[in-house]
């Protein structure tokens, strides 16, 4: 029987699955070769260095997360349901959540830079319309919730046996109410 031809796509797919199940630190040539049931030679021929492969895996993680959250968003409660989707992701896909949160972001020297890099161009405008607040209030509310949700998701993804989702969602809702109150009183 002829040997299977290993493609770059197969290597990236295998690396993604390793990262998903065991974490990015386990994305190593030997582990990829074992998963593909091949020698390390095809991996070295397609991947000049592991950092480049890890960047491709991180891009695949971002794509996965975008699809994951989009599938779980309630269009009638977009703002809250997006936050809940990220919390759900942190529990169901803890390794991918960690990769997403911990991947290097360049060109960030302020929280505003961070916000701009993470959020769609019209998100603050949408939130402002939905909540009948100013764009600057919406942006501050969203930034606060983004930071808070990242923190909650991180806690949720690293605890065992685990905090209940209801407790996490209740905490997220409490923070939302407090941040909304703060935004409404912020000029």
């Amino acid at each position: 029987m002829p040997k299977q031809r290993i493609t770059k796509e197969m290597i990236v797919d295998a690396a993604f699955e390793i990262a998903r199940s065991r974490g990015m630190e386990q994305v190593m040539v030997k582990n990829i070769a074992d998963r593909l049931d091949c020698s390390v030679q095809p991996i070295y021929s397609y991947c000049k260095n592991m950092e480049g492969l890890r960047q491709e895996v991180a891009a695949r993680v971002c794509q996965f997360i975008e699809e994951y959250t989009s599938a779980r968003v309630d269009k009638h409660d977009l703002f809250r349901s997006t936050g809940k989707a990220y919390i759900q992701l942190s529990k169901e896909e803890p390794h991918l959540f960690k990769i997403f949160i911990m991947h290097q972001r360049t060109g960030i020297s302020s929280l505003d830079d961070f916000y701009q890099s993470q959020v769609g161009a019209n998100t603050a405008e949408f939130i402002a319309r939905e909540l009948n607040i100013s764009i600057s209030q919406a942006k501050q509310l969203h930034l606060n919730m983004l930071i808070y949700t990242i923190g909650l998701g991180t806690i949720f993804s690293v605890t065992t046996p685990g905090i209940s989702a209801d407790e996490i969602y209740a905490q997220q809702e409490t923070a939302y109410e407090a941040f909304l109150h703060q935004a409404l009183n912020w000029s």
Side-chain angles (χ1 to χ4, degrees), residues 82-102:
T82 300
K84 284 186 175 185
Y86 277 99
I87 296 298
Q88 187 178 356
L89 170 77
S90 72
K91 192 60 175 178
E92 292 177 7
E93 300 283 354
H95 295 297
L96 297 184
F97 183 80
K98 290 174 202 169
I99 292 166
F100 175 69
I101 296 304
M102 299 304 291

Side-chain angles (χ1 to χ4, degrees), residues 173-187:
E173 185 63 27
T174 299
Y176 169 75
E177 294 297 331
F179 290 140
L180 178 60
H181 178 76
Q182 177 190 34
L184 292 172
N185 294 311
W186 181 71
S187 45

Side-chain angles (χ1 to χ4, degrees), residues 56-166:
E56 288 186 57
V57 170
R60 176 85 56 92
V61 169
C62 290
Q63 177 186 355
F64 175 92
I65 289 173
E66 186 175 317
E67 292 168 5
Y68 179 99
T69 55
S70 293
R72 287 158 180 78
V73 168
D74 176 355
K75 292 179 185 2
H76 302 292
D77 192 9
L78 188 65
F79 188 64
R80 282 186 174 114
S81 65
T82 300
K84 284 186 175 185
Y86 277 99
I87 296 298
Q88 187 178 356
L89 170 77
S90 72
K91 192 60 175 178
E92 292 177 7
E93 300 283 354
H95 295 297
L96 297 184
F97 183 80
K98 290 174 202 169
I99 292 166
F100 175 69
I101 296 304
M102 299 304 291
H103 80 273
Q104 186 68 39
R105 291 163 174 86
T106 58
I108 307 294
S109 60
S110 68
L111 287 176
D112 186 59
D113 290 345
F114 175 75
Y115 184 78
Q116 298 302 326
S117 75
Q118 299 301 298
V119 177
N122 300 317
T123 304
E125 290 85 352
F126 173 82
I127 295 167
R129 279 192 313 274
E130 289 293 307
L131 298 176
N132 198 27
I133 59 178
S134 73
I135 292 173
S136 63
Q137 289 169 317
K139 185 177 174 184
Q140 187 61 50
L141 170 63
H142 193 206
L143 176 62
N144 286 343
M145 286 306 299
L146 182 64
I147 293 167
Y148 197 81
T149 298
I150 289 169
L152 278 178
T154 302
I155 291 167
F156 205 37
S157 71
V158 298
T159 56
T160 55
I163 301 167
S164 82
D166 289 340

